[in-house]
Amino acid sequence: IWRKMVRPFQRYYDWGRDIKILQEIGLPPYMQVYNEPSLPAEWEGHPIDEQLFIENLLYAVRDVYNNGGYVGLQFLNRQWLVDALRAIKERKGERIFNRMFFVAHSYGLNHPPDYAQDENAALGFLIYADIFQQEIGFVPPIIVGEGGWKIGSDEDNRYPPIDEKRHRDYHIEVYNWFCTGQLSNGQPLPDYLFAFCPWLIAAKLDDRAWYDSFAGDRNLLIEA
């Protein structure tokens, strides 16, 4: 997946060039157009303006589609996703939906793999799948571009914190979805779920990293 570092308040004009580069080297142009647009950090001090973002998004999805790319949407805010899909429909852009995919960020916090009460879960992509079904009548391909668990997560006091052993076991369970054909909640693995790519970051600046952290190297998941 190609993701240009462009902010929600910015408009990018070179999607066609980027798609051509990928096509020339034989790569399918999966283009994620924006990232977590509802988060204040993405606005870099600018006032959050959903309508400004929607206008920039509409330009981007049209440009990606017209140049032969796959249009990748990414949202953390459910209402913003609904608003974007409806805006595309209002502009008569429904054909875009047939070459669209969704990039889910399915972080588990300290919830177990079968947790499905809200989107703060490895299964959080299911909530967005329901939105697509309701708004456009089908679920496009979904790729979890970020997700999984971070060591030390303890946000929900109903569950124990994520230690190294849970970190290993929970990620292995998610990997096994694709071996067994069954999600942790017992549902069949959906055909639309193309991949689950955990945020298994390695950094000495993050003591929640899975490896090469100043809190100590963590090898259980690597070994597993």
Side-chain angles (χ1 to χ4, degrees):
I1 298 174
W2 166 269
R3 176 164 73 85
K4 180 69 178 177
M5 290 296 293
V6 56
R7 302 302 182 184
F9 55 87
Q10 297 173 328
R11 184 168 293 188
Y12 182 60
Y13 296 96
D14 288 326
W15 294 110
R17 181 204 63 179
D18 297 342
I19 290 169
K20 183 178 180 182
I21 290 171
L22 293 172
Q23 290 173 332
E24 287 177 347
I25 60 175
L27 293 177
Y30 281 81
M31 317 299 286
Q32 180 181 325
V33 292
Y34 286 96
N35 188 65
E36 300 182 344
S38 61
L39 291 191
E42 290 292 323
W43 289 81
E44 297 184 332
H46 294 257
I48 296 176
D49 185 336
E50 184 187 1
Q51 192 54 47
L52 172 61
F53 162 70
I54 290 290
E55 290 301 317
N56 291 334
L57 177 74
L58 291 171
Y59 176 88
V61 299
R62 182 191 65 192
D63 208 23
V64 170
Y65 180 86
N66 287 342
N67 283 280
Y70 297 107
V71 178
L73 302 184
Q74 202 295 308
F75 287 91
L76 297 182
N77 185 299
R78 287 183 260 178
Q79 189 58 51
W80 280 41
L81 172 58
V82 171
D83 294 343
L85 294 174
R86 292 179 180 178
I88 293 171
K89 288 188 283 188
E90 288 171 3
R91 300 290 180 92
K92 309 298 182 185
E94 288 90 345
R95 61 181 179 172
I96 290 171
F97 298 150
N98 293 312
R99 212 189 307 143
M100 179 180 71
F101 66 102
F102 181 67
V103 180
H105 288 179
S106 298
Y107 284 104
L109 302 184
N110 62 321
H111 295 142
D114 62 353
Y115 180 91
Q117 296 177 32
D118 54 52
E119 61 264 53
N120 296 309
L123 293 170
F125 66 89
L126 293 171
I127 291 174
Y128 294 95
D130 288 342
I131 291 174
F132 282 108
Q133 188 65 51
Q134 294 167 13
E135 292 295 324
I136 67 173
F138 68 97
V139 182
I142 292 180
I143 296 170
V144 177
E146 295 181 28
W149 293 267
K150 294 182 179 180
I151 291 175
S153 292
D154 61 354
E155 293 84 353
D156 191 334
N157 60 17
R158 297 175 297 171
Y159 300 95
I162 301 299
D163 58 16
E164 190 178 359
K165 183 177 183 298
R166 290 189 185 89
H167 187 259
R168 175 198 63 192
D169 295 346
Y170 286 1
H171 280 107
I172 292 300
E173 182 167 335
V174 169
Y175 294 148
N176 280 334
W177 293 353
F178 296 90
C179 297
T180 65
Q182 181 174 295
L183 301 177
S184 296
N185 64 355
Q187 294 181 15
L189 179 74
D191 289 342
Y192 61 73
L193 184 62
F194 277 26
F196 194 113
C197 306
W199 184 262
L200 296 177
I201 192 169
K204 291 185 177 180
L205 300 178
D206 184 356
D207 64 2
R208 303 206 299 171
W210 74 317
Y211 182 70
D212 200 26
S213 160
F214 58 71
D217 291 345
R218 295 153 174 156
N219 296 303
L220 289 185
L221 180 55
I222 297 173
E223 293 167 355

